[in-house]
Amino acid sequence: MKLYLKFLSVHLRSAMAYRAGFFLTCLGQLLITTNVFLSVIFLMERFGSVGGYTLPQLSLCYAVILAGTSLAECFARGLDTFHRILSDARFDRILLRPRPVLFQVLCQEMRPAMLARVLQAAVMLAWAVADGAVAWTLAKALVLALMIVCGAAVFFGLFLVNACICFFTLEHLETMNIFLDGPREYGKYPFGIYGKPVLLVLTFLVPLALVQHWPLQYLLGRGPLWYGLLPLAALLFLIPCALLWRLGVRHYRSTGS
């Protein structure tokens, strides 16, 4: 952990070397996600609710997804650029070093600017809480924390799968962006409003609904307590992700360059 924090400090100092550029990047990231949620605001001004959800409830829903994706992208950027690590033959050097391979890949690149989106998610959460979106209890507060932390873990797993694909194709598959970048767009609504087939896929195949739709029903008083424990079940998704990573590392063959 000490070494990881040292790498994080190095990346942060590197980003802050050009402070104007860093803050403009943060502003750009905020404008992208703000623009996504503006469409929800305009829609709610016209219709008042969507699928029975009010604006503060949708704000809570989107903040969970935004925080999860942003945390994962901030610390798993090395996985997102893994195809460049392979093409530049940097993975050969990583294999020779006496440190865990995945740890070294994660330390290759980080994006501290993504923390600006985490700050935006915190503001949206604070507004939703103050507006009475949920009748809060200690149990519901803990469930909300689980949704964010487990959501970040699921997105980390998706980044890991995307990196594993590069062992076999040498490039990322664009179809993975449906689950990596897509949630920042369609995650502004609870996944259940997209229909049963989509909800089934996002529950049993890629468990994004386990950290958003189902525990949200518990927070809003529309589901039993065990819905609030489903984010923990989503962590099981990391097991096949880890196995696929080990398979990819064993499959790797150096070019010798």
Side-chain angles (χ1 to χ4, degrees), residues 81-117:
T81 59
F82 187 66
H83 62 290
R84 292 206 296 267
I85 294 176
L86 290 179
S87 61
D88 295 342
R90 283 183 282 161
F91 195 67
D92 297 53
R93 297 197 298 269
I94 288 175
L95 291 174
L96 294 174
R97 294 168 182 162
R99 292 290 179 180
V101 174
L102 182 57
F103 171 81
Q104 294 185 66
V105 172
L106 293 177
C107 292
Q108 292 291 306
E109 190 172 347
M110 300 178 190
R111 296 187 68 183
M114 291 296 104
L115 293 176
R117 290 183 177 178

Side-chain angles (χ1 to χ4, degrees), residues 1-59:
M1 179 57 70
K2 183 178 179 180
L3 183 58
Y4 182 80
L5 292 176
K6 186 173 182 179
F7 271 104
L8 180 60
S9 175
V10 169
H11 284 288
L12 184 58
R13 290 200 302 270
S14 176
M16 292 297 291
Y18 300 95
R19 295 188 179 183
F22 175 75
F23 288 116
L24 285 175
T25 300
C26 291
L27 178 61
Q29 297 297 335
L30 288 175
L31 290 176
I32 291 172
T33 50
T34 300
N35 183 61
V36 170
F37 198 66
L38 279 177
S39 62
V40 178
I41 295 175
F42 295 148
L43 188 65
M44 297 297 285
E45 286 182 352
R46 175 66 178 83
F47 296 103
S49 66
V50 174
Y53 298 95
T54 64
L55 182 59
Q57 291 169 349
L58 292 179
S59 176

Side-chain angles (χ1 to χ4, degrees), residues 147-162:
M147 292 167 69
I148 295 173
V149 173
C150 296
V154 170
F155 282 110
F156 176 86
L158 289 171
F159 277 115
L160 188 60
V161 170
N162 203 24

Side-chain angles (χ1 to χ4, degrees), residues 70-220:
S70 301
L71 285 171
E73 193 168 356
C74 178
F75 299 107
R77 178 63 177 174
L79 295 173
D80 195 35
T81 59
F82 187 66
H83 62 290
R84 292 206 296 267
I85 294 176
L86 290 179
S87 61
D88 295 342
R90 283 183 282 161
F91 195 67
D92 297 53
R93 297 197 298 269
I94 288 175
L95 291 174
L96 294 174
R97 294 168 182 162
R99 292 290 179 180
V101 174
L102 182 57
F103 171 81
Q104 294 185 66
V105 172
L106 293 177
C107 292
Q108 292 291 306
E109 190 172 347
M110 300 178 190
R111 296 187 68 183
M114 291 296 104
L115 293 176
R117 290 183 177 178
V118 178
L119 178 60
Q120 180 187 355
V123 171
M124 295 176 69
L125 281 174
W127 175 71
V129 170
D131 204 77
V134 175
W136 292 101
T137 63
L138 178 59
K140 290 185 177 181
L142 291 175
V143 168
L144 178 61
L146 279 178
M147 292 167 69
I148 295 173
V149 173
C150 296
V154 170
F155 282 110
F156 176 86
L158 289 171
F159 277 115
L160 188 60
V161 170
N162 203 24
C164 293
I165 291 172
C166 296
F167 283 117
F168 306 95
T169 65
L170 299 181
E171 289 289 342
H172 291 315
L173 293 182
E174 291 297 324
T175 52
M176 283 297 296
N177 289 332
I178 298 174
F179 303 108
L180 291 171
D181 297 328
R184 283 198 295 270
E185 175 64 35
Y186 58 77
K188 60 191 177 186
Y189 302 112
F191 296 132
I193 74 169
Y194 296 108
K196 188 175 181 180
V198 173
L199 186 59
L200 288 175
V201 170
L202 296 180
T203 298
F204 297 104
L205 182 60
V206 181
L208 294 177
L210 298 185
V211 298
Q212 190 238 45
H213 175 81
W214 297 114
L216 182 67
Q217 305 310 305
Y218 166 69
L219 293 183
L220 300 180

